[in-house]
Amino acid sequence: MNSNFTKIIRFVLGLILIVFGANKVIMIFMESGFLPQPSFPEAGGAKEFMNSLDTAGYILPIVGALEVYVGVLLILKKWVPFALVVLAPISVNILLFHFFLDLSGGMIGALVVATLNGVLIYKHWSQFKPLFY
């Protein structure tokens, strides 16, 4: 579990989550974050879906805060299995959003986050076994 490979994956995933999560959190206080906002195509429903999440007002900031929290836990190597469990539904939803609503947009990023999360879950599987047996 403490191989250099695992450390690198944990650090990279944590850094990705902190950057993109912080961008969502900063959008609360400013009109836009420090990263440019993606433009979604009119067809397919991605734009309407993101507008509805933005209109709700609380979903994107909470997801952003969770991403930052999980990213910090991964980088600090604190409660890694817990962080991976919290991240699992977020990474699956990112992947499904891009698969069903915005195939061309950020599918590579979604695959990277889901794959890194899956690899880390596999590496920590011994700690998850009691949940399934």
Side-chain angles (χ1 to χ4, degrees):
M1 255 188 306
N2 287 329
S3 70
N4 286 334
F5 176 71
T6 305
K7 289 177 188 176
I8 291 169
I9 289 177
R10 192 171 35 82
F11 184 79
V12 168
L13 182 58
L15 192 61
I16 290 169
L17 293 171
I18 289 172
V19 168
F20 286 97
N23 188 55
K24 288 182 188 85
V25 171
I26 287 175
M27 285 177 18
I28 299 169
F29 305 108
M30 300 178 194
E31 288 294 316
S32 64
F34 52 84
L35 296 173
Q37 294 302 309
S39 59
F40 298 109
E42 293 294 328
K47 190 172 190 173
E48 292 83 14
F49 180 75
M50 290 306 291
N51 285 339
S52 66
L53 292 180
D54 192 37
T55 302
Y58 69 94
I59 295 174
L60 291 178
I62 288 175
V63 170
L66 282 172
E67 288 175 359
V68 170
Y69 179 63
V70 168
V72 169
L73 288 177
L74 290 174
I75 287 178
L76 296 178
K77 197 181 174 188
K78 300 291 181 185
W79 299 344
V80 173
F82 170 73
L84 296 174
V85 167
V86 171
L87 180 59
I90 295 171
S91 65
V92 167
N93 275 293
I94 293 169
L95 190 63
L96 292 175
F97 169 80
H98 287 289
F99 184 74
F100 287 108
L101 298 175
D102 186 31
L103 194 56
S104 62
M107 187 58 138
I108 292 174
L111 285 170
V112 167
V113 169
T115 301
L116 294 178
N117 192 20
V119 168
L120 287 174
I121 287 172
Y122 175 76
K123 291 286 190 177
H124 291 271
W125 188 249
S126 63
Q127 294 169 312
F128 294 115
K129 270 187 178 178
L131 294 174
F132 299 102
Y133 296 107

